[in-house]
Amino acid sequence: MRQGFPTGVRVMATSMGPLIEFRKVTKRFDNRTVLDAVDLEIHEGEVSTIIGKSGSGKSVLLKHIIGLLQPDQGTIRFEGKDIAAMTRIEWDAYTRQISYMFQNNALFDSMSIFENVALPLRQGTRLGKREIEQRVRKRLEQLELGDVMAKYPSEISGGMQKRVALARALVTDPKIVLFDEPTTGQDPIRKNAILGMIAEYHRKFEFTAVLISHEIPDVYFISNRILALYDGKIVFQGSPEDFESFDHPFRDEFVRSLEGLQEELTGLYSRRHFKVRYQTDLARKKPHEEYVAVLFSIEDMDAIIANLGHDAAQEIIRSLGTYINKHFGEVGGFSARQTINEIGTVLPFSDLEEAERILEDFIVDLKDQGFCNVYPCAEPGRCFEFKIMAGLSQGKPQVELESIMEFARFNQQEIARFQCELRRIAIDA
Amino acid sequence: MTEPRDAQTTSVTTPINALGRMALRVIDDLGAIAIFLLKSLFLIFRPKQIPLIVQQVYYIGARSATIVMLVGLFTGMVLGLQLYYTLVQFGSAGVLGSAVGLSLVRELGPVMTAIMITARAGSSMTTEIGIQRISEQIDALTTMRIDPVRFLVSPRLAASVISFPLLTAFFDLIGILGGFFTGVILLGLDAGTYFYRVRTSIEMQDITGGFAKAVVFAVIVSTICCFQGFFTHLRKDSYGAKAVGLSTTSAVVLSCVMILISDYVVTSFLL
């Protein structure tokens, strides 16, 4: 069943109960209570994101799942069974399914990148040398690390180290993957590329992901479930959509400061501010006055990622956002990402005719300039054709924005196609 | 009803309390290190250990050979020098070979070798494992279901047990040659006399005794150094990089002290 944001994240049918469950888990360090009777549920096949202030105990919570820490009180259950009561065989079977990606990567400095990623297979499995080599090479190439296999962690950039840690976490094909702030220290393109990778691998390999992240609102696009940790307690568990309307000091103290006015990658409004601006502007309009909404989308995002890579995909989104802001922002329009590959724009002061005129200018500009930065981001020699779609719709203030956007989605047509031979945009006649 | 504490009682009980706490801490640490040693020994014989042990034999043994032989050479040379001038006063310069040989094989060889390897490889063990601890690499091993003691400590323990006696043998050999250089080449003693004395005075039990000491020192040094690095994060006096530094210092000092103490203990059993 789909829930929350239209993320394109496929959710497996949930089993009878939660996959992992915390019941009244308490953890203290000296006199400080970090986790205070925490109750939470992680469901199979979902991406669950834990958010909270720095030092609030998110990593501590995550480490309990894999047994690096033990609770002072309370129980942690896996498929209904208390992990503290597991036999050695049961514990081995449980931990065999889990991978952990550390915040600071925890790569072994004295081993090469290849050896780092191969280590869990060499030491934890009975696979042959050739099989291990094939698997490691495949993972490293999927994460665009094929050129640095022989290098050592200190010889590569922080971003690459993060991807090596991700490769090592995924090389054993785990059922549950724990990500401890996987995007820390990355630029906006890389952050979203990493989040996109997590979403892509989650869809492909159907593992359960538990993520710690500060990247609000970007994580909303890949998460099925948000868990908010505040003052040692889980104060919210639910969908990203429900979290948007969650009224609690946690939002005021933490979430609002992170959402900011503009989304880091695209420079457009965050979803929350988009909604606030929508309500504010349209409240001034009379009931019979109409406005226009435009929905842009990048077709076949999965194929773009597969052929050009995650960085190139994020660069396309970023560039599209810049163009949209440039043309539609001038006439009082405001925009926000609706899903991973869709940007919605509201033109509160324009009619349909004016909106069509602006869209034509937009297309001409897109034709002239193209996505110049995509190819530096993509791997050399790679080529892939993709389309940009756009649809217009008109609405009145009393109609739900989601309905207007859905209608715009229905009206979408191809407005541009990126053909790698020309390195430019060609208008679809 | 409890009587109120007065200053006099406190001044008597406080140092006793402190002594008691220290004693308990020492016993606690001894217990922890004994369990650590037993676990490491047991895990030597698990699968996939051979390549790791071979790698550590190279780092601990092969790469310490140069410094051990250098120290051995000069130890032998200074022994030859000092003992010659002492023995010649008693008209016994001819027994220089025995004196140098027995001193090296029974005592100086195992002890000096162990101390040199502690300084070079032992400190490196503590630092490397300590840094792995504070940078969560050891936690990463646990999450990959790799026992960190099996992966990091057992190979070092096994490699030390292999390397220490071999390096002790090198030390003894080079040291005897060093004594030859000063006694015979520089001071004019007869070469034949020197080597005859070396050959006849050193018995097999002296050599095996020296190797037995080397094995004991190997276990002590590798256990202490790995233990200090492995539990760096539990230090109360500092954290992070400073903790690694302090652990390294503690490891080297403690290892050297324990080498000398255990030397006495083993010698008393052998003699």
Side-chain angles (χ1 to χ4, degrees):
Chain A
M1 98 192 143
R2 289 175 85 83
Q3 57 177 316
F5 270 39
T7 62
V9 175
R10 185 154 62 94
V11 176
M12 292 164 63
T14 54
S15 53
M16 293 296 288
L19 183 66
I20 295 169
E21 193 184 355
F22 278 46
R23 287 187 189 173
K24 302 277 180 274
V25 168
T26 299
K27 183 67 181 177
R28 294 180 197 93
F29 292 103
D30 295 327
N31 293 328
R32 191 174 155 238
T33 302
V34 174
L35 300 178
D36 184 8
V38 163
D39 291 313
L40 66 83
E41 293 178 358
I42 307 286
H43 293 277
E44 189 173 0
E46 290 187 348
V47 178
S48 302
T49 301
I50 302 170
I51 59 174
K53 291 192 281 190
S54 295
S56 59
K58 303 184 296 294
S59 295
V60 167
L61 197 155
L62 211 64
K63 286 178 179 176
H64 277 85
I65 296 175
I66 201 164
L68 286 174
L69 292 172
Q70 284 74 46
D72 294 323
Q73 282 170 269
T75 57
I76 299 165
R77 291 177 178 271
F78 173 70
E79 291 181 340
K81 188 163 177 71
D82 184 357
I83 63 173
M86 282 181 175
T87 61
R88 175 89 186 263
I89 293 170
E90 286 170 335
W91 178 255
D92 276 349
Y94 167 59
T95 53
R96 197 174 293 129
Q97 300 178 66
I98 306 180
S99 260
Y100 194 109
M101 185 178 155
F102 286 81
Q103 184 177 354
N104 296 316
N105 307 321
L107 298 178
F108 301 104
D109 313 77
S110 56
M111 294 183 193
S112 67
I113 300 306
F114 186 94
E115 286 164 349
N116 262 281
V117 178
L119 183 67
L121 295 177
R122 280 180 180 160
Q123 292 292 323
T125 68
R126 289 183 183 169
L127 294 172
K129 192 176 168 186
R130 195 169 290 178
E131 169 79 25
I132 289 174
E133 198 175 314
Q134 274 173 2
R135 283 200 191 191
V136 171
R137 280 189 183 280
K138 184 181 162 190
R139 272 287 172 263
L140 288 172
E141 273 151 18
Q142 278 172 340
L143 283 154
E144 297 155 32
L145 293 165
D147 294 337
V148 298
M149 284 190 220
K151 292 197 173 182
Y152 287 81
S154 58
E155 295 177 310
I156 60 176
S157 69
M160 281 178 158
Q161 289 180 16
K162 193 62 80 175
R163 284 183 283 154
V164 173
L166 181 58
R168 190 175 69 183
L170 297 176
V171 79
T172 52
D173 296 329
K175 297 279 186 297
I176 304 167
V177 187
L178 311 176
F179 299 92
D180 191 345
E181 300 208 36
T183 58
T184 301
Q186 306 295 311
D187 60 67
I189 296 228
R190 277 264 185 253
K191 274 183 200 175
N192 280 276
I194 289 169
L195 292 176
M197 264 185 247
I198 292 171
E200 182 200 348
Y201 286 125
H202 170 260
R203 278 196 302 276
K204 202 184 273 189
F205 301 112
E206 296 179 348
F207 54 75
T208 302
V210 184
L211 188 65
I212 290 176
S213 183
H214 288 303
E215 303 308 330
I216 295 169
D218 296 322
V219 288
Y220 296 163
F221 295 116
I222 68 164
S223 305
N224 299 108
R225 199 171 167 78
I226 300 289
L227 295 98
L229 185 63
Y230 180 75
D231 260 358
K233 290 188 185 302
I234 293 289
V235 296
F236 176 85
Q237 296 188 66
S239 69
E241 261 188 355
D242 291 340
F243 185 67
E244 292 252 295
S245 48
F246 174 54
D247 187 19
H248 189 276
F250 176 72
R251 278 203 77 91
D252 296 325
E253 283 181 37
F254 176 67
V255 176
R256 290 213 169 103
S257 64
L258 284 179
E259 280 177 335
L261 193 57
Q262 291 178 324
E263 194 189 272
E264 264 190 320
L265 179 67
T266 56
L268 305 173
Y269 276 15
S270 65
R271 270 191 68 94
R272 199 182 72 83
H273 284 91
F274 180 80
K275 282 188 178 171
V276 168
R277 174 80 191 266
Y278 173 77
Q279 281 156 8
T280 312
D281 280 6
L282 264 64
R284 295 193 203 122
K285 293 181 89 68
K286 296 188 174 58
H288 64 275
E289 287 179 336
E290 290 184 321
Y291 69 93
V292 176
V294 191
L295 189 72
F296 297 90
S297 60
I298 303 160
E299 281 287 284
D300 227 352
M301 200 64 165
D302 284 347
I304 292 173
I305 290 168
N307 284 277
L308 297 177
H310 284 273
D311 286 359
Q314 296 306 319
E315 180 57 40
I316 293 168
I317 298 169
R318 193 196 67 78
S319 297
L320 186 63
T322 306
Y323 282 123
I324 291 168
N325 214 21
K326 177 180 159 189
H327 287 273
F328 295 94
E330 282 177 352
V331 294
F334 52 94
S335 310
R337 271 173 91 183
Q338 304 301 306
T339 64
I340 284 178
N341 63 326
E342 287 180 338
I343 296 174
T345 299
V346 169
L347 298 167
F349 311 114
S350 304
D351 56 26
L352 197 60
E353 203 181 311
E354 187 183 3
E356 283 172 349
R357 225 175 20 251
I358 299 168
L359 186 60
E360 278 170 20
D361 291 340
F362 169 85
I363 293 169
V364 168
D365 194 11
L366 207 53
K367 177 192 173 185
D368 283 343
Q369 305 295 328
F371 291 115
C372 299
N373 292 325
V374 168
Y375 272 89
C377 291
E379 290 183 19
R382 285 188 116 170
C383 179
F384 183 72
E385 189 177 282
F386 62 91
K387 294 181 283 192
I388 307 293
M389 310 284 281
L392 293 160
S393 68
Q394 266 186 307
K396 291 194 167 94
Q398 59 270 29
V399 180
E400 288 278 335
L401 176 63
E402 280 74 23
S403 303
I404 309 293
M405 284 295 171
E406 194 58 40
F407 199 61
R409 194 176 283 119
F410 181 75
N411 287 340
Q412 275 187 331
Q413 291 179 341
E414 184 184 317
I415 59 162
R417 184 176 299 187
F418 188 59
Q419 292 176 341
C420 47
E421 292 86 5
L422 301 177
R423 295 285 197 272
R424 293 164 80 83
I425 297 292
I427 295 176
D428 181 44
Chain B
M1 190 174 89
T2 55
E3 292 181 8
R5 279 181 147 191
D6 56 23
Q8 197 173 11
T9 311
T10 310
S11 68
V12 170
T13 57
T14 302
I16 296 172
N17 284 340
L19 195 64
R21 274 197 298 276
M22 195 173 76
L24 286 172
R25 205 165 46 237
V26 167
I27 293 168
D28 201 32
D29 286 347
L30 281 174
I33 208 167
I35 294 169
F36 186 77
L37 170 60
L38 285 172
K39 188 177 176 183
S40 310
L41 276 171
F42 177 72
L43 290 173
I44 288 173
F45 306 102
R46 303 285 279 185
K48 303 185 189 196
Q49 291 293 73
I50 304 284
L52 299 173
I53 294 172
V54 167
Q55 197 179 55
Q56 291 301 324
V57 167
Y58 170 70
Y59 287 134
I60 295 170
R63 291 181 69 174
S64 301
T66 310
I67 190 73
V68 164
M69 287 193 282
L70 191 68
V71 172
L73 177 67
F74 282 93
T75 303
M77 283 169 64
V78 89
L79 261 183
L81 203 60
Q82 288 280 14
L83 288 172
Y84 179 86
Y85 285 109
T86 305
L87 290 169
V88 88
Q89 290 174 9
F90 300 97
S92 303
V95 300
L96 181 68
S98 303
V100 168
L102 284 171
S103 303
L104 286 170
V105 169
R106 283 181 180 176
E107 282 302 323
L108 290 174
V111 172
M112 292 296 292
T113 302
I115 289 175
M116 290 318 303
I117 299 176
T118 300
R120 196 204 148 267
S123 60
S124 163
M125 280 185 219
T126 309
T127 308
E128 189 178 344
I129 296 176
I131 289 173
Q132 286 175 333
R133 171 60 81 184
I134 63 169
S135 61
E136 296 183 307
Q137 291 175 44
I138 290 180
D139 286 345
L141 287 172
T142 306
T143 63
M144 288 187 264
R145 295 174 53 249
I146 299 169
D147 187 331
V149 174
R150 176 188 75 74
F151 188 73
L152 296 174
V153 180
S154 298
R156 285 169 168 84
L157 179 60
S160 298
V161 168
I162 294 168
S163 304
F164 272 55
L166 293 174
L167 289 169
T168 301
F170 275 127
F171 187 101
D172 295 344
L173 180 65
I174 302 295
I176 290 169
L177 291 175
F180 170 85
F181 180 74
T182 45
V184 173
I185 308 292
L186 292 182
L187 298 169
L189 189 69
D190 179 56
T193 306
Y194 181 85
F195 282 117
Y196 172 76
R197 287 293 181 189
V198 168
R199 191 166 50 81
T200 54
S201 56
I202 297 174
E203 293 175 357
M204 187 47 78
Q205 70 186 44
D206 297 318
I207 297 171
T208 53
F211 284 172
K213 285 185 183 180
V215 170
V216 170
F217 298 157
V219 172
I220 288 170
V221 169
S222 55
T223 305
I224 290 173
C225 293
C226 290
F227 183 85
Q228 288 286 332
F230 201 83
F231 294 108
T232 295
H233 63 306
L234 296 179
R235 291 189 79 96
K236 300 264 189 264
D237 51 359
S238 64
Y239 302 97
K242 190 170 178 193
V244 174
L246 289 175
S247 291
T248 306
T249 307
S250 300
V252 172
V253 168
L254 202 55
S255 295
C256 292
V257 167
M258 288 308 299
I259 287 167
L260 296 170
I261 292 173
S262 60
D263 182 40
Y264 172 77
V265 172
V266 174
T267 305
S268 64
F269 277 107
L270 290 174
L271 290 176

